[in-house]
Amino acid sequence: MHPVIITGLSGGGLSTAAKIFEDKGYFVSQNLPPQLILELVEMSTGEQSPVAKVAVVTDVRARMFNGSLMETISKIKEGGYNPFVLYLEARDGVLIQRFDSVRRTHPLQGTDTLKHGIERERKELEPVREIADVIIDTTNQSVHDLRRSIEASIGELASGRQHVTIESFGFKHGSPRDADLIVDVRFLPNPYWVEELREFRGVDKPVSDYVLGQADAEPFIENFVRLLGSTLDGYRHEGKDFITVGIGCTGGHHRSVAVAEEVGRRLRKKPQLDVSVLHRDLQRH
């Protein structure tokens, strides 16, 4: 069983993530104290349990109760279960905008500013972030983007397989903070400057053929896939089964998209991998 623990920064999208898991057939419980999370996991695995999949949303407010989330995760593992920890976050400016839009105060704000509350929360949750299976930065994501990211990240939580997300992006929109590896393909000629290709995207054959047909493209992709293979072996040895690889170009429309699609195609040939390809900035201007 893979009980899912959804946690992260207040305003990072925890409630939205809970709804997504409910739509996927999970029994979702929100704001449980740490000591009750283990009880819920044990109840859900009993012979008479009415649920097959369980997810728990917990945030920094749980600190008011005895026990810590780190201790709870350790006890879940000791019980023979394999918890999946999903951590959501966003940049400070976006979190501030989200709190202002709903006229709420931050749970750790006290008499200080909202920014101080966010800083305290980041520090307090850092140990959990360090052991998270997947970290999703929701800064530039809509509700639909978050759904796609979660679905791509968790797959079916298949045991014995590593899940690799290949995410194209544009550097002008910022690098994805949740990526474990980032590569830059701006050394390839930009189809944007070819007038007949400008309005196409990297998922379209004319652009894909142009990008992948460059002399430097094939050696780079071949070497990168080989390097990534050895890196994934190392991650597996360290118990990390969810990896996000960012591939960036200037705007995230052409080169990074075409290369991401090709890297994903080659990785899917490896039976031990579950591969998803996302294009973060494909529709952005």
Side-chain angles (χ1 to χ4, degrees), residues 160-179:
R161 301 179 72 188
Q162 281 181 299
H163 186 90
V164 182
T165 299
I166 308 296
E167 180 179 13
S168 72
F169 69 94
F171 278 102
K172 76 175 185 178
H173 302 299
S175 303
R177 296 177 61 190
D178 50 351

Side-chain angles (χ1 to χ4, degrees), residues 189-235:
N190 192 349
Y192 178 85
W193 301 113
V194 181
E195 187 173 352
E196 59 269 27
L197 297 178
R198 183 170 301 170
E199 298 306 317
F200 288 99
R201 296 293 184 260
V203 292
D204 299 316
K205 192 174 187 301
V207 171
S208 178
D209 288 347
Y210 177 85
V211 172
L212 301 181
Q214 299 299 317
D216 293 333
E218 175 58 29
F220 168 78
I221 293 173
E222 182 178 350
N223 290 332
F224 177 64
V225 170
R226 185 183 300 114
L227 173 64
L228 185 56
S230 61
T231 303
L232 293 176
D233 289 341
Y235 276 136

